[in-house]
Amino acid sequence: MMLFKLSLKNIKKSFKDYTIYFFTLVLGVAIFYVFNAIDSQTIYMDVTSNMAEIIKLMTSMLSGVSVFVSFVLGFLIIYANRFLIKRRNKEFGVYLTLGMSKKKISLLLFFETLFVGLISLVVGLGVGVMLSQAMSLLVANLFEANMTDFAFVFSTSACEKTLLYFGIMYLLVMIFNTINISKCKLIELLQSNKKTEKIRLKNPVLCTIIFILSTFTLGTAYYLVTGGIDHLDNANKIFIPIAMGIISTFFIFWSLSGLLLKACMSIKGLYYKGLNSFTLRQISSKINTTVFSMTVICLMLFVTVCVLSSALSIKNAMTANIRELAPVDVSFSKYLYHENSVFDVNTPQAVLDDAKVSLKETLKNHGIDINETFKDVVEIPVYRIEELTMRATLGEQLDEISKKFKYLNYDNEETIITVSDYNKIAKLYGNETYSLNDDEYMIIADFDSMVEIRNMALNEGVSITINDKTYHPKYTECKDGFVEISSNHINDGIFIVPDHAVEGQIPFHELMVANFKETSREGKNRVNDMINKKINSAWNETTLTSVNTKIEITDASVGLGGLVTFIGLYLGIIFLISSAAILALKELSESTDNKERFQMLRRLGADEKMIHKALFSQIAIFFMAPLILAIIHSIFGIKFCIFILETFGRKGLLSSIIMTSIFLVLIYGGYFILTYICSKNIIEEN
Amino acid sequence: MDINYNEFEGREIMEPILKIQNIEKYYGSRSSLTKALDGISMDVNAGEYVAIMGASGSGKTTLLNVISTIDRVTSGHIYVADKDITKLKGNELNRFRREELGFIFQDFNLLDTLTAYENIALALSIQNVSPKEIDERIKKVAKELSIKDILSKYPYQMSGGQKQRVASARAIITNPKLVLADEPTGALDSKSSKMLLERFNYLNKELGATILMVTHDAFTASYASRVIFIKDGKIFSEIERGDDDRKEFFNKIIDVVTLLGGDLNDAL
Ligand SMILES: Nc1ncnc2c1ncn2[C@@H]1O[C@H](COP(=O)(O)OP(=O)(O)O)[C@@H](O)[C@H]1O
Ligand SMILES: [Mg+2]
């Protein structure tokens, strides 16, 4: 019972030390709960069956990510706990000399961990439940769903999961503490407050060499993932630069900690000004002993920035794309009968028969009344010609292009649409219409890397031949546009030719786009389900007609956007908290030493303002060092992400970078301010 | 033994640099009140070397702390060069401390992350002295205190005596009106103590520094030109060295200590 009271008293006494630790635990518990409680919130949302599937996928992914998150948090908690224990070694030493057994001290620590654990769980869950109410608004917003009812949601399963995962983490901490105490020696405990830390200045020549080498390596890594990459065909192309980046990050911190001080010391006017010499020494000694953690923190921040901004930009791009890329409610596309096409001996007779009638006929045969259901109907033929392969459209440029893009199939037949047909669709979509002279052609495309390839040919004025007639490009570049609705920029090139060019030719596809007559959300959903049921089930049974609906595309985009956003947010926030907490704890763990040092400065007559400035810049530089390098990494990392996520477009990038910065400022900045306030309190108390 | 305040006519009467008028310092609540200082008055003249002696808990550190403005008096006034420092506030206090005072403490003297040179330089850079002048002044003081060879060393690489000499260098480099030392020999062996005290004499005699030193050790006190004894927060007695040599002065101090009730060292 005495131990019980003593441990309570200890917690109260060292509350200042525990503030950041406790704050981090509460935040960890709350975030863990919030992201695991998302599925119980979607129950109250009105979503389509497609969306429900995506949400289900998301929840199972989130719970997978939670396992990873619990590892990260577990490491963080054990690490943080080690700091707190270290600070109290002297106290344990005194207990031991007073005759308390190691077993009793372990028990004391056990109670302390138990109390801190219980309180943090209770407070964290409380905060989590509150946050998750706000989260349900975000969920509804991200999935573009209507909230049927605002209900206060408490997720029992998420709560149980949080209790279980954190229970295990705290148990590990207790075991760790017990082992630690049983291993330690009294003399070490009592002397642990003596600062015998040697101050060793690194060899500046060695530092310079290592710094130059690692900057060079880092530059090479940057080049490899941006300028030096045009396609990804090999995992090494990404792993090698990552490995180079990690190693050079470590050595940059290692060499900078030595160099920076040396450089500042040589500028006498800077070094011997106010408390600068003191501040610089403090920082360099700290970075010196924390090169490894600095590296880990820098990399975590880098991953956070990349994951968050990519996730948010995918989400933004997807939502923006739908409005632009799905301007009508539905598009149908049917293979017409053609010798060199998809039809073979296995094709059912019903399909063959269907391939010879028009698309309107097909829809009627499958029980869809066109006049009843649709408005704004446009129906156009799409052609392909054996002689017009990609190879044939590139002309002289083929050699150079095929050297660069080895894996393209240059024998694919190109898609051809007549200019008047294209204009019909463009008009309906609100896109630009074109006119062509008798011997002109143009290309409509919106898939960036294909646009780039085709522009090389267009720029050279490569002409094409269709049915023995030659056509010259009207423009020196592709024009933006598409005919089939989709969620992304995937139109890799449609050749627009004068109407007479394909006269008498049998179309390869027939394409039909239309809007639903129904205007209400429910009505559209109903029509959508009806069409899907009737057409999709008939694929390769009675017809080769495929259908894309705006609702499906929207659900997939919005759902996928929401999914990546949540996973990005989850990981990003946890990484941010972890890295900021490590920095904060490192800083505070030295506050006793610092207190004495600042007391000394006061006796020398340093103003409070000077002292606060010294403390502030010390903590600021400590927090900024890994952040700055992480931001530089991120500039190239995000470039690489854009390259990978090219089809999503880059429209949402700026706003997602702004959002990421807001998260950074809030969480990382919040920890920074909290650390400053706590340190200030510690050095000010008497 | 009576207080022989104005006994020495041989010395010209100087304007006191430090005037303490009836100061009191109370600690604790009404129920458990400690009168750490209980009506102390005294003057220190410019160029004097004064030691304050007393048993542990007699209020020596408290007295030094209120003079150095680290702590505040409950009542009374302290004038340093005619300025009432009990009235100073905030940054005035800090300016007073860095411009008028020099400190030497028993331990916890030097910043462990800085070299001896940087430790000394800090006292000047706080006052915005230019790096060039800092360098000149450090070189000069290092010669006077024979610490030239250890200027680039860190505190953990120095002996206790060396640390105290570096601390002394830092205390006097700003040309303070008053150097305050709290148990400066407390952590030193007798050889280092002697060396440090001889340096103090040099500072006092050759450089004209005014020194107020707190100690419980009669040997240390015997280096001063005047010794003030305090007991339970009050001045108990005061003796001047006059023309005595150190040995004779030491014996006089021991007499007072015996009168005060035993060896001060035992009372620690
Ligand atoms: N911060 C404080 N709070 C309460 N009492 C104190 C404090 N500092 C000193 N005292 C008391 O004041 C008296 C004088 O202490 P101090 O000046 O440190 O003595 P000395 O330095 O001569 O050993 C002692 O009784 C001590 O207990
Ligand atoms: Mg004392």
Side-chain angles (χ1 to χ4, degrees):
Chain A
M1 207 69 276
M2 186 211 85
L3 277 178
F4 190 79
K5 269 191 196 141
L6 189 59
S7 56
L8 265 182
K9 224 162 118 190
N10 274 334
I11 293 173
K12 246 199 226 151
K13 199 178 65 194
S14 46
F15 188 75
K16 265 191 188 129
D17 301 347
Y18 273 105
T19 313
I20 294 257
Y21 180 58
F22 188 71
F23 181 76
T24 305
L25 290 182
V26 167
L27 220 53
V29 171
I31 304 257
F32 195 88
Y33 171 85
V34 166
F35 280 92
N36 281 290
I38 283 179
D39 64 331
S40 64
Q41 279 154 356
T42 55
I43 293 167
Y44 294 91
M45 292 185 338
D46 168 30
V47 290
T48 60
S49 52
N50 282 327
M51 193 65 104
E53 282 296 310
I54 293 173
I55 291 175
K56 226 167 95 191
L57 173 69
M58 182 182 78
T59 20
S60 68
M61 280 179 84
L62 280 176
S63 72
V65 171
S66 288
V67 176
F68 174 70
V69 162
S70 68
F71 271 102
V72 174
L73 287 178
F75 276 115
L76 177 69
I77 292 174
I78 289 179
Y79 185 81
N81 183 67
R82 223 189 55 185
F83 262 124
L84 294 174
I85 297 299
K86 237 189 192 163
R87 284 208 53 182
R88 297 176 47 196
N89 273 347
K90 182 120 190 211
E91 178 191 330
F92 297 145
V94 172
Y95 291 155
L96 280 175
T97 50
L98 290 177
M100 201 188 253
S101 66
K102 279 187 176 177
K103 221 172 167 180
K104 280 226 170 110
I105 293 180
S106 292
L107 209 58
L108 180 83
L109 273 179
F110 169 84
F111 278 126
E112 286 187 29
T113 314
L114 193 69
F115 287 138
V116 173
L118 281 179
I119 299 169
S120 65
L121 270 174
V122 171
V123 178
L125 280 175
V127 173
V129 170
M130 239 118 70
L131 274 182
S132 80
Q133 307 312 315
M135 194 68 166
S136 58
L137 292 177
L138 182 69
V139 174
N141 180 292
L142 277 178
F143 289 107
E144 302 193 341
N146 292 334
M147 295 280 286
T148 42
D149 228 343
F150 185 82
F152 186 88
V153 194
F154 176 75
S155 166
T156 328
S157 65
C159 181
E160 279 166 2
K161 199 168 163 186
T162 312
L163 288 176
L164 176 71
Y165 278 53
F166 278 81
I168 292 173
M169 285 181 225
Y170 292 150
L171 205 69
L172 284 177
V173 168
M174 289 170 184
I175 293 171
F176 183 85
N177 282 344
T178 312
I179 294 173
N180 228 11
I181 289 291
S182 66
K183 270 204 318 210
C184 67
K185 296 189 184 67
L186 179 57
I187 180 78
E188 284 165 9
L189 288 182
L190 287 175
Q191 287 181 346
S192 61
N193 261 21
K194 284 230 175 77
K195 333 162 244 223
T196 43
E197 194 182 301
K198 288 202 166 79
I199 294 154
R200 237 177 287 136
L201 283 186
K202 289 168 186 153
N203 180 341
V205 179
L206 184 66
C207 279
T208 315
I209 293 171
I210 294 226
F211 181 73
I212 291 170
L213 276 180
S214 40
T215 327
F216 181 75
T217 313
L218 191 59
T220 314
Y222 286 161
Y223 174 75
L224 284 179
V225 295
T226 52
I229 194 168
D230 40 41
H231 58 283
L232 254 188
D233 51 3
N234 183 339
N236 279 345
K237 279 198 170 163
I238 165 155
F239 285 130
I240 289 175
I242 287 178
M244 284 163 77
I246 293 174
I247 294 168
S248 49
T249 303
F250 177 84
F251 282 107
I252 282 181
F253 281 125
W254 186 88
S255 55
L256 262 191
S257 62
L259 275 182
L260 216 60
L261 182 70
K262 262 272 179 272
C264 292
M265 279 167 97
S266 65
I267 310 169
K268 295 242 158 33
L270 175 77
Y271 193 66
Y272 292 109
K273 182 156 183 285
L275 299 179
N276 283 358
S277 59
F278 170 76
T279 311
L280 282 164
R281 284 286 190 171
Q282 289 275 95
I283 294 161
S284 104
S285 83
K286 207 160 5 174
I287 295 185
N288 235 342
T289 55
T290 52
V291 171
F292 183 71
S293 342
M294 280 285 181
T295 309
V296 173
I297 289 161
C298 172
L299 295 173
M300 281 213 277
L301 288 173
F302 163 64
V303 172
T304 307
V305 172
C306 285
V307 166
L308 256 182
S309 46
S310 305
L312 292 173
S313 88
I314 288 178
K315 195 254 150 195
N316 286 344
M318 291 202 123
T319 337
N321 283 344
I322 301 160
R323 244 163 267 138
E324 187 194 317
L325 297 176
V328 289
D329 285 333
V330 65
S331 82
F332 296 96
S333 162
K334 187 176 84 163
Y335 285 100
L336 290 183
Y337 188 73
H338 215 267
E339 298 121 62
N340 303 322
S341 184
V342 290
F343 302 94
D344 57 31
V345 287
N346 296 323
T347 312
Q349 189 58 40
V351 174
L352 287 177
D353 292 340
D354 179 73
K356 284 166 188 155
V357 300
S358 77
L359 208 129
K360 278 188 175 146
E361 200 80 18
T362 304
L363 294 183
K364 203 158 79 193
N365 292 342
H366 286 84
I368 298 171
D369 188 327
I370 294 173
N371 295 331
E372 278 282 291
T373 330
F374 302 128
K375 59 182 183 188
D376 311 327
V377 180
V378 174
E379 198 183 355
I380 61 161
V382 176
Y383 300 90
R384 281 189 190 185
I385 289 175
E386 216 175 309
E387 64 208 54
L388 193 71
T389 55
M390 185 164 179
R391 189 183 298 283
T393 67
L394 297 176
E396 312 259 286
Q397 300 295 307
L398 179 67
D399 279 351
E400 200 182 318
I401 293 171
S402 61
K403 229 181 274 159
K404 210 170 152 198
F405 302 93
K406 290 191 195 100
Y407 301 90
L408 278 175
N409 185 354
Y410 294 96
D411 292 319
N412 275 348
E413 291 167 11
E414 299 286 8
T415 306
I416 305 168
I417 293 176
T418 67
V419 66
S420 54
D421 283 338
Y422 176 74
N423 285 344
K424 277 188 227 162
I425 289 215
K427 222 159 105 195
L428 178 62
Y429 290 177
N431 288 346
E432 200 175 332
T433 57
Y434 298 97
S435 62
L436 294 173
N437 286 334
D438 279 356
D439 61 345
E440 284 178 340
Y441 79 96
M442 62 180 291
I443 305 176
I444 300 285
D446 64 8
F447 183 54
D448 279 351
S449 55
M450 285 305 283
V451 166
E452 192 190 323
I453 292 173
R454 294 194 186 282
N455 282 351
M456 286 165 79
L458 290 176
N459 207 21
E460 291 294 313
V462 174
S463 43
I464 58 169
T465 309
I466 300 170
N467 296 336
D468 301 330
K469 272 202 74 176
T470 310
Y471 300 87
H472 309 291
K474 174 162 186 177
Y475 303 103
T476 55
E477 60 187 17
C478 296
K479 291 293 172 184
D480 194 47
F482 58 95
V483 295
E484 271 191 90
I485 62 174
S486 66
S487 55
N488 297 312
H489 293 277
I490 51 165
N491 173 15
D492 58 9
I494 297 168
F495 283 69
I496 309 296
V497 297
D499 292 2
H500 63 78
V502 286
E503 223 160 38
Q505 210 87 44
I506 305 169
F508 185 80
H509 269 134
E510 198 173 356
L511 186 74
M512 185 184 124
V513 297
N515 279 318
F516 295 161
K517 274 193 170 156
E518 289 277 1
T519 49
S520 70
R521 198 185 166 101
E522 290 81 41
K524 283 191 186 225
N525 278 345
R526 211 171 45 241
V527 174
N528 183 62
D529 288 349
M530 183 268 288
I531 292 172
N532 272 334
K533 216 166 81 207
K534 286 186 171 156
I535 301 297
N536 283 345
S537 60
W539 175 262
N540 215 11
E541 302 276 335
T542 54
T543 183
L544 285 182
T545 303
S546 60
V547 56
N548 269 321
T549 67
K550 187 177 187 169
I551 291 176
E552 265 182 334
I553 291 172
T554 312
D555 281 359
S557 303
V558 166
L560 198 60
L563 185 142
V564 294
T565 309
F566 277 115
I567 289 174
L569 274 182
Y570 194 16
L571 283 177
I573 292 176
I574 291 294
F575 274 20
L576 266 180
I577 292 176
S578 309
S579 39
I582 292 175
L583 281 175
L585 288 164
K586 281 232 178 238
E587 178 66 44
L588 288 173
S589 71
E590 281 159 31
S591 51
T592 348
D593 290 352
N594 285 340
K595 189 179 159 185
E596 287 180 6
R597 292 176 187 150
F598 281 106
Q599 199 59 33
M600 194 66 235
L601 291 179
R602 280 202 188 93
R603 299 199 166 176
L604 286 177
D607 286 355
E608 284 307 298
K609 224 168 84 195
M610 273 173 144
I611 286 173
H612 290 168
K613 203 182 120 202
L615 184 69
F616 186 87
S617 37
Q618 174 189 326
I619 298 174
I621 294 177
F622 194 48
F623 269 76
M624 287 307 278
L627 183 63
I628 288 172
L629 192 56
I631 286 174
I632 298 174
H633 282 353
S634 304
I635 292 171
F636 295 91
I638 289 175
K639 276 218 168 104
F640 179 72
C641 293
I642 292 172
F643 169 77
I644 300 259
L645 306 170
E646 189 175 26
T647 54
F648 295 112
R650 43 189 84 169
K651 289 206 182 61
L653 193 63
L654 185 69
S655 70
S656 60
I657 288 177
I658 293 172
M659 275 298 284
T660 307
S661 317
I662 292 175
F663 272 104
L664 250 176
V665 169
L666 276 183
I667 297 178
Y668 201 68
Y671 264 96
F672 165 64
I673 300 286
L674 196 65
T675 309
Y676 175 64
I677 293 172
C678 286
S679 308
K680 213 171 84 174
N681 283 341
I682 289 174
I683 66 160
E684 267 168 12
E685 75 195 1
N686 283 310
Chain B
M1 186 174 285
D2 241 81
I3 296 170
N4 39 9
Y5 202 62
N6 282 325
E7 195 181 332
F8 293 87
E9 292 110 40
R11 225 184 197 154
E12 66 182 287
I13 304 291
M14 288 174 76
E15 186 59 19
I17 194 125
L18 172 70
K19 259 191 292 189
I20 296 176
Q21 290 179 351
N22 200 25
I23 53 169
E24 293 181 318
K25 174 71 188 175
Y26 299 160
Y27 284 118
S29 62
R30 207 166 294 161
S31 56
S32 66
L33 198 71
T34 311
K35 289 188 177 179
L37 298 176
D38 191 6
I40 285 188
S41 297
M42 61 186 250
D43 288 355
V44 176
N45 291 331
E48 251 195 313
Y49 182 176
V50 178
I52 293 177
M53 278 197 80
S56 179
S58 56
K60 304 183 298 286
T61 299
T62 310
L63 178 63
L64 214 62
N65 282 348
V66 296
I67 297 172
S68 62
T69 66
I70 286 166
D71 211 340
R72 285 189 171 276
V73 291
T74 310
S75 71
H77 297 279
I78 301 170
Y79 298 92
V80 173
D82 288 331
K83 201 187 297 162
D84 188 353
I85 60 166
T86 58
K87 297 251 165 23
L88 295 180
K89 277 196 193 72
N91 284 336
E92 286 174 347
L93 275 177
N94 292 315
R95 190 179 323 122
F96 166 74
R97 251 180 251 158
R98 65 173 175 256
E99 285 171 7
E100 317 279 4
L101 297 184
F103 290 94
I104 304 159
F105 294 94
Q106 174 175 342
D107 48 12
F108 170 105
N109 263 319
L110 302 174
L111 289 159
D112 53 350
T113 47
L114 302 184
T115 60
Y117 184 95
E118 289 165 350
N119 263 293
I120 302 170
L122 201 57
L124 292 174
S125 70
I126 288 177
Q127 295 189 17
N128 284 327
V129 177
S130 76
K132 197 164 153 269
E133 198 187 330
I134 290 179
D135 196 55
E136 283 162 8
R137 276 159 81 170
I138 290 179
K139 291 227 168 89
K140 187 164 159 274
V141 79
K143 209 154 120 204
E144 286 158 2
L145 287 167
S146 30
I147 48 170
K148 257 180 136 171
D149 299 336
I150 53 170
L151 279 181
S152 60
K153 285 190 174 171
Y154 291 94
Y156 75 90
Q157 297 167 317
M158 299 175 209
S159 72
Q162 287 172 329
K163 278 189 221 170
Q164 277 307 42
R165 270 181 285 151
V166 172
S168 315
R170 189 186 55 189
I172 60 157
I173 198 162
T174 55
N175 298 323
K177 295 219 168 62
L178 191 59
V179 176
L180 301 173
D182 189 0
E183 311 265 9
T185 56
L188 303 184
D189 57 73
S190 58
K191 195 168 152 247
S192 311
S193 294
K194 227 166 140 178
M195 205 162 144
L196 180 74
L197 290 167
E198 267 150 25
R199 286 289 137 193
F200 274 19
N201 272 357
Y202 176 83
L203 291 179
N204 176 244
K205 292 256 159 54
E206 307 299 323
L207 304 181
T210 312
I211 301 174
L212 182 65
M213 175 176 75
V214 152
T215 183
H216 66 268
D217 175 45
F219 177 76
T220 302
S222 69
Y223 276 80
S225 56
R226 180 154 63 107
V227 180
I228 298 170
F229 297 87
I230 60 173
K231 188 176 192 267
D232 300 331
K234 291 191 192 99
I235 292 188
F236 174 77
S237 149
E238 172 175 338
I239 53 175
E240 287 221 37
R241 180 158 166 184
D243 297 325
D244 295 348
D245 66 11
R246 212 184 47 69
K247 214 54 187 266
E248 289 165 341
F249 193 43
F250 176 75
N251 289 332
K252 280 190 183 167
I253 294 170
I254 290 294
D255 286 344
V256 183
V257 168
T258 318
L259 198 68
L260 260 166
D263 190 357
L264 291 181
N265 284 320
D266 288 345
L268 228 174

